[in-house]
C-alpha cells in the first residue's frame, strides 16, 4: 500500500491522455489512474495480474451525457433527433421509454426482458379470456388485476435476487482478501461445471433460464403456488 496522500484530478481534454480521473501528488504530477471497477477500461494491472471489471450500460449512457455536457461537446443534433423520435412514438401510442431501453441496452440484456414481456402477454391474455371472462372489466382494470397476480410477485423476486447476487459477486471480486477464494472457485467451475465453461456452456445455460420462465408462467396462471382463498369467520 502506498502511504502517500494524493489529490484527485479529473482530466477533461483527452488530447494529453485518457479523459479519466487521476491521483496527483503535491507537485501536480499524475501518479495513478483511477479505473473504476464498473465500466473500467483496464483489465490487466501493470504487474500483469487480471482485474475483474463489470459492465453497466445505463451508467455508461449517463456518463456519455455528463462528459458531453462538461466538455461542451454533446452532440445536440442526436439528442434532438431522439426527442423527435420519442414524440413520434408517443403520438403513435408506443411507449418511448421502453423503446429507448431496448435501443441502448445490449442484446444480452434486452433479450431476457423481451422473453419476460412475452410471458406477461400470454398470462394477461389467459386472464382476459378465462379468469375474468365473465367480468365486464376495462383494459385498465385488467392491467391492474394482472399487476396483482402471483407471477408479478415472483418476477419481482427474480429482480431482487439478481440484484442481490450482483452485489455479492461484486463484493467477492472487489475484496483483495477473497482473491484466492475466487481463483479456486473459478478453477473448480472451469474444470467441473459444464454450465460455466465448455463447448456447450451457452446452450446448457439455457436450461435454468427456460426452467425459470416455465415456473414464472405456471405461477402467473395460478397452476403453482396459487394463493389460498381468504377464510372469513362468521
Amino acid at each position: 500500500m502506498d502511504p502517500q496522500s494524493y489529490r484527485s484530478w479529473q482530466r477533461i481534454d483527452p488530447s494529453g491522455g485518457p479523459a479519466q480521473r487521476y491521483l496527483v501528488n503535491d507537485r501536480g504530477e499524475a501518479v495513478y489512474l483511477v479505473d473504476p471497477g464498473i465500466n473500467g477500461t483496464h483489465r490487466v494491472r501493470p504487474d500483469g495480474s487480471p482485474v475483474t471489471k463489470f459492465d453497466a450500460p445505463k451508467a455508461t449512457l449517463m456518463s456519455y451525457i455528463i462528459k458531453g455536457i462538461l466538455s461542451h461537446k454533446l452532440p445536440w443534433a442526436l439528442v434532438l433527433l431522439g426527442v423527435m423520435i420519442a414524440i413520434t412514438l408517443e403520438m403513435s401510442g408506443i411507449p418511448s421509454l421502453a423503446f429507448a431501453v431496448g435501443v441502448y441496452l445490449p442484446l444480452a440484456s434486452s433479450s431476457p426482458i423481451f422473453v419476460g414481456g412475452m410471458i406477461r402477454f400470454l398470462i394477461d391474455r389467459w386472464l382476459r379470456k378465462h379468469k375474468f371472462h365473465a367480468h365486464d372489466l376495462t383494459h385498465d382494470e385488467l392491467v391492474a388485476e394482472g399487476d396483482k397476480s402471483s407471477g408479478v410477485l415472483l418476477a419481482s423476486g427474480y429482480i431482487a435476487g439478481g440484484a442481490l447476487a450482483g452485489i455479492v459477486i461484486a463484493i467477492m471480486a472487489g475484496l483483495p482478501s477473497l482473491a484466492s477464494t475466487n481463483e479456486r472457485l473459478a478453477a473448480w467451475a472451469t474444470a467441473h461445471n459444464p454450465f460455466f465453461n465448455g463447448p456447450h456452456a451457452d446452450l446448457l445455460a439455457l436450461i435454468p433460464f427456460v426452467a425459470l420462465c416455465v415456473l414464472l408462467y405456471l405461477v402467473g396462471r395460478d397452476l403453482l403456488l396459487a394463493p389460498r382463498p381468504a377464510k372469513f369467520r362468521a
Side-chain angles (χ1 to χ4, degrees):
M1 298 294 292
D2 191 345
Q4 300 295 327
S5 298
Y6 298 94
R7 297 179 183 272
S8 177
W9 171 55
Q10 179 69 42
R11 177 189 291 274
I12 300 178
D13 186 8
S15 59
Q20 292 180 269
R21 189 157 62 96
Y22 295 84
L23 296 181
V24 298
N25 55 23
D26 295 336
R27 296 187 298 273
E29 300 172 348
V31 180
Y32 296 108
L33 169 66
V34 180
D35 193 53
I38 299 178
N39 291 329
T41 57
H42 297 273
R43 300 182 181 271
V44 179
R45 296 188 180 92
D47 59 1
S49 59
V51 181
T52 303
K53 300 292 182 179
F54 299 93
D55 298 326
K58 186 175 182 179
T60 302
L61 176 65
M62 296 305 298
S63 68
Y64 289 158
I65 297 175
I66 294 173
K67 290 178 182 178
I69 294 175
L70 294 177
S71 61
H72 303 285
K73 296 180 180 179
L74 187 67
W76 288 105
L78 296 178
V79 175
L80 295 177
L81 177 61
V83 172
M84 298 305 298
I85 292 176
I87 294 175
T88 304
L89 291 173
E90 292 292 342
M91 294 177 63
S92 303
I94 301 175
S96 58
L97 180 59
F99 175 82
V101 169
V103 169
Y104 81 79
L105 280 180
L107 191 61
S109 300
S110 59
S111 296
I113 298 176
F114 173 77
V115 174
M118 291 300 300
I119 295 175
R120 174 64 186 268
F121 170 76
L122 295 175
I123 293 175
D124 285 347
R125 188 175 67 171
W126 178 85
L127 292 175
R128 183 173 60 254
K129 291 185 177 181
H130 297 85
K131 188 174 182 179
F132 301 112
H133 176 69
H135 301 76
D136 188 15
L137 300 180
T138 63
H139 174 73
D140 293 337
E141 291 174 340
L142 287 172
V143 172
E145 291 295 333
D147 291 340
K148 295 186 294 184
S149 67
S150 301
V152 173
L153 296 177
L154 180 61
S156 301
Y158 284 176
I159 297 173
L164 293 175
I167 293 174
V168 172
I169 293 174
I171 292 175
M172 294 184 64
L175 292 179
S177 58
L178 297 177
S180 59
T181 303
N182 294 332
E183 293 176 359
R184 289 195 299 268
L185 290 175
W188 179 89
T190 302
H192 302 92
N193 187 0
F195 291 87
F196 181 81
N197 185 47
H200 306 293
D202 293 337
L203 291 177
L204 291 175
L206 291 176
I207 296 177
F209 177 73
V210 172
L212 291 175
C213 292
V214 172
L215 177 62
L216 180 61
Y217 179 76
L218 295 178
V219 171
R221 287 275 307 270
D222 292 335
L223 298 176
L224 285 178
L225 304 177
R228 297 180 180 179
K231 296 181 179 180
F232 298 96
R233 294 183 179 180

